[in-house]
Each structure stands twice: as structure tokens, then as C-alpha cells.
Amino acid sequence: MSIPMVRAQHRSVLISGASIAGLTLAFWLDHYGFDVTVVERASTIRTGGYPIDVRGTATDVVERMGLLSQIQEAHIASRDVTFVDGAGHVLGNIPIYEAIGNKQRDVELPRGTLTTLLYEATRGGRVNYRFDDSIASLHDVGKGVDIGFTNGEVARYDVIIGADGLHSHTRNLVFGPEELFRHSLGFCFNLFSIPNDGEVSHGAVIHAEPGRTAGVWAIQDNPNAFGFLAFVIDEVEKKFCRDAKEQMKRTRAVFSGMGWKVPHLLNVMEASDDLYFDTVSQIRMPRWSAGRVALVGDAACAPSFRSGQGTSLALVGAYVLAGELAVCDTPEEAFAAYEHLVRPFSEANQTLATDDNGAFFLPKTQRDIEVRNHILSEIARNGTEGIFDARRARVYNSLHLPDYRTM
């Protein structure tokens, strides 16, 4: 198969963010012969993190990258989510992949493992990485984009891509403040490492009351697990509070008096050195590009973790964006083609965050909990057949990837 010819007028590309989307985009642009620079404010790629999933069409992307076998080797194969009451008594459990995935095709692996594989796949090429740096200023001058970096250097690139996540600085510089595009799903969450006491293995244990959910997720038999505390918020502030102490104070107040292991989880959270907290939100934009600047992954269309599709959207979006830049005559034409292909896929995946499975895992009301418990009883009696909608699998596979190598 031939590699598509790169048009000279948009050959140099700056990618903001060494995220899954950014690293995937760098891989394909390098493959097509672009001059690629990735700027990342961290000192290196982020190697830690919670489990993520590669599903459906995204599996085709990693297969075309030659990484599928390595990703499959890293599959952690979580088994069950167990639901307990305040005393720790088991209410029921579900096989994870029968509820939200396809055990024959989907791959679950630690986020850091995927980013490491993607990074290593680009290090042997021509990709230039600028760590401990970021974009300070951006000016699209028509024939290129002038960039001022935080380290004081300036440079011009033909194309700029924001792959810098839910709170994208690139999006803020070009399209306006996040509040214009962030759509709250009504939750706030905290995620942190916790020593595994051995009671959780190959999956999760969850205790929920109306509007607040606590859980522990273990990767296989790893001695460290992830604690999870999520709760309903009535209204998202225009600027979400980034103060960790304030967040911990707020979380402790919300979870006061809750049973199971919640008091222990609160204590571990407050002593944690890796606490990550945020709102459960989506990014919805009327356009993903302006001039010679475009967005990809969560920066363009974050679906939230309730969809389970953030990683897959990042992989698919980056693949299509790179391909269209390779075959189109101008950046504007490439961006339009990329959005035309990916937006329906993105929007279909975003709707998964509001389906019944979302209420199953993060119930807002007593009615949600009663419905969940009824489903758990049905599973215990009759198995999972007919319980979960097959629509998810159809959405995961709803985009047919173009093969840009033959164009």
C-alpha cells in the first residue's frame, strides 16, 4: 500500500498535549511524512492512571498501527462489579463485559501502559517532543500560525492541533472559555490510589446511596487499587474549584455518615499524593476547527467516563484527522472532512453517558437504586441475556475507517 502524498502547504504540525489523542496523531502524521512537534507541559508522558478501554472501531486503529498484539498482552481482563450495602453485604454482581463491552474484541489496560506504547512507537521517527513547555500565545496569520512558548521561544507552524484534554488551553485561546462548551452531567468525582486489602480483585466493589457513590477498583491482584468517590452536584460553578483541600472538605461533608468502607476511603483520599478530581462533563462544540487550528479527543468532544469511550474517541479521531491532513489540499478542507466523518460517531458515543447503564453505576435517586437492585436480582436468577441493550456495541463499531494508505 502506498503512503498518501503530503501537501507542502501544511507540512509542519504542532500538537499540544502528549495525550492518547496527541500521541496517536503524532504517530500517523509522522507515518505520512509530516514534520511533527508535540509540546507537553509535564516533564514526560503520564505513565500512571486508571484502567481504560479500547473498543470497536478504535481496535481497528491500533491494529493498523501494529500495536494490537502488544495492547492485547496488556489486557487486564476485569471480571465483575460487585454491589454491596452499607454493611458490606453483597447485593449482586455483574460480569463487566456483558454489561458494557465485548469480551471477544475489547481490550482493557492501564492508561499509562497505552500512553507508553504510543510514545515508544513514535520515538524512533521524526517526532520532536518539547516537555516542560506549553503554548503561551497563538496567532493564526493565514499562511501559518505563530506560537509563543512559555519558555520564551517563538516558532511558526502550518497547523496547530489541540489534544490537551477536557480543560484544553488551546481551545481556550482560539474558541473561548471552557464554560461555553462544557456540559455538566451532574456529578463530581475523586479518584486516588489506595492500598488493596485483598478484598477486591479483577474488578470493582461499589456502594451507592442516592446521589453518592463510593467504590474500589482493582487491576487484577495488584497491591494498589483505585478509590472512587462521586456525588451529585446541583449546579457547576462557572470555574470549577481546583483547590484540593476545598475539594476534600466538600467530599467529606457529602459522604458523612455513609457506611461500608467510606470513612476509610475518605481518610486515604486526604492523605493521597495522587488525588485527581473533576466534574463529570462533556465538551460540545459547534465546530472543532478555526482557520489552521483544530481540536481532537477530549479537547473537541469529551464524552465523559460515563460513556466509557473517551480513549476510543481519541484514537479514532486522531487517526481520521491525520489521514485527512495527508490527503487534502488545505488544512481547512482536511478539518471539514475530519469533522464530517467523526462528529456523528462522537455524538452517538456521547449519548451513551446518559443511558440506563449510567444510572446503574452512578444512581442519583432511590428509584435508580431500586431499579439497579431489581436488575441484579434478575441476573442472579436468569443470567445477563436480554438485560443490557446491544446498542452500545453498535455505537462502538458505527464508524467505518477510511484506509488513507490507498488514497
Side-chain angles (χ1 to χ4, degrees):
M1 297 182 183
S2 61
I3 296 175
M5 182 178 66
V6 176
R7 311 305 195 217
Q9 56 264 48
H10 58 277
R11 188 174 183 86
S12 64
V13 181
L14 175 67
I15 301 169
S16 177
S19 59
I20 289 171
L23 293 168
T24 304
L25 183 64
F27 174 95
W28 283 109
L29 289 176
D30 179 49
H31 177 73
Y32 296 142
F34 286 81
D35 297 325
V36 183
T37 299
V38 179
V39 61
E40 168 57 51
R41 64 181 180 179
S43 59
T44 186
I45 60 167
R46 293 174 173 87
T47 57
Y50 45 85
I52 51 87
D53 297 277
V54 178
R55 299 188 177 112
T57 302
T59 310
D60 297 331
V61 173
V62 295
E63 185 172 26
R64 293 183 185 186
M65 298 173 80
L67 297 176
L68 182 57
S69 62
Q70 292 170 269
I71 287 173
Q72 288 173 331
E73 288 173 7
H75 183 42
I76 62 178
S78 294
R79 298 168 186 162
D80 298 298
V81 175
T82 300
F83 296 87
V84 299
D85 63 17
H89 300 139
V90 174
L91 300 169
N93 61 75
I94 59 169
I96 292 173
Y97 280 96
E98 293 185 31
I100 58 173
N102 182 328
K103 63 183 178 181
Q104 279 78 42
R105 183 166 175 79
D106 297 349
V107 181
E108 179 191 20
L109 71 165
R111 186 185 188 281
T113 301
L114 180 57
T115 56
T116 298
L117 287 170
L118 293 170
Y119 178 55
E120 292 298 327
T122 60
R123 290 182 70 188
R126 297 173 296 276
V127 179
N128 174 38
Y129 283 93
R130 298 178 62 121
F131 291 108
D132 287 316
D133 204 358
S134 61
I135 297 174
S137 63
L138 182 157
H139 300 286
D140 189 336
V141 294
K143 294 183 178 180
V145 185
D146 291 337
I147 297 294
F149 293 98
T150 53
N151 71 358
E153 295 182 24
V154 295
R156 176 173 289 186
Y157 297 88
D158 297 314
V159 171
I160 308 296
I161 307 296
D164 42 358
L166 176 69
H167 305 297
S168 170
H169 180 56
T170 310
R171 184 181 62 232
N172 184 70
L173 287 172
V174 178
F175 299 91
E178 180 179 311
E179 292 74 29
L180 296 174
F181 312 113
R182 187 183 67 218
H183 177 78
S184 171
L185 299 185
F187 280 90
C188 177
F189 71 93
N190 307 271
L191 187 69
F192 48 93
S193 296
I194 181 171
N196 191 350
D197 58 13
E199 294 183 21
V200 186
S201 173
H202 292 82
V205 178
I206 291 175
H207 171 52
E209 294 179 359
R212 54 185 187 173
T213 297
V216 176
W217 192 289
I219 297 176
Q220 299 174 327
D221 293 315
N222 195 295
N224 290 311
F226 292 97
F228 181 79
L229 296 166
F231 55 93
V232 168
I233 48 178
D234 294 330
E235 185 177 347
V236 179
E237 305 93 328
K238 281 194 173 182
K239 287 199 173 182
F240 178 65
C241 177
R242 294 285 159 198
D243 183 83
K245 289 184 178 179
E246 184 62 31
Q247 173 69 6
M248 288 187 285
K249 179 180 177 181
R250 182 181 186 184
T251 302
R252 182 170 283 279
V254 168
F255 283 87
S256 175
M258 196 170 181
W260 186 53
K261 296 183 178 183
V262 171
H264 176 60
L265 288 172
L266 289 168
N267 290 337
V268 174
M269 175 193 70
E270 291 183 340
S272 171
D273 61 2
D274 65 351
L275 172 65
Y276 176 72
F277 59 93
D278 210 331
T279 59
V280 182
S281 303
Q282 295 181 336
I283 295 297
R284 302 180 184 177
M285 301 184 68
R287 288 191 64 189
W288 297 345
S289 65
R292 289 176 173 263
V293 182
L295 305 173
V296 68
D298 280 356
C301 55
S304 91
F305 71 80
R306 285 188 67 172
S307 73
Q309 280 294 90
T311 298
S312 292
L313 277 178
L315 288 162
V316 171
Y319 170 85
V320 173
L321 176 55
E324 294 299 335
L325 282 168
V327 301
C328 291
D329 290 325
T330 67
E332 293 83 358
E333 181 185 343
F335 296 157
Y338 147 68
E339 187 167 342
H340 176 75
L341 282 170
V342 178
R343 181 178 283 277
F345 183 67
S346 164
E347 292 178 348
N349 278 280
Q350 284 184 324
T351 64
L352 298 177
T354 57
D355 70 7
D356 291 340
N357 284 359
F360 194 95
F361 291 100
L362 291 177
K364 288 187 176 181
T365 66
Q366 182 60 35
R367 174 60 178 164
D368 288 339
I369 291 175
E370 290 169 359
V371 170
R372 182 205 67 188
N373 290 346
H374 174 72
I375 293 172
L376 291 173
S377 297
E378 287 295 312
I379 291 173
R381 285 194 295 266
N382 304 311
T384 59
E385 186 174 355
I387 293 290
F388 296 102
D389 189 353
R391 180 174 65 97
R392 279 184 168 258
R394 292 194 295 271
V395 170
Y396 297 159
N397 294 278
S398 59
L399 189 153
H400 178 71
L401 289 179
D403 191 344
Y404 297 101
R405 297 166 298 179
T406 63
M407 294 182 178

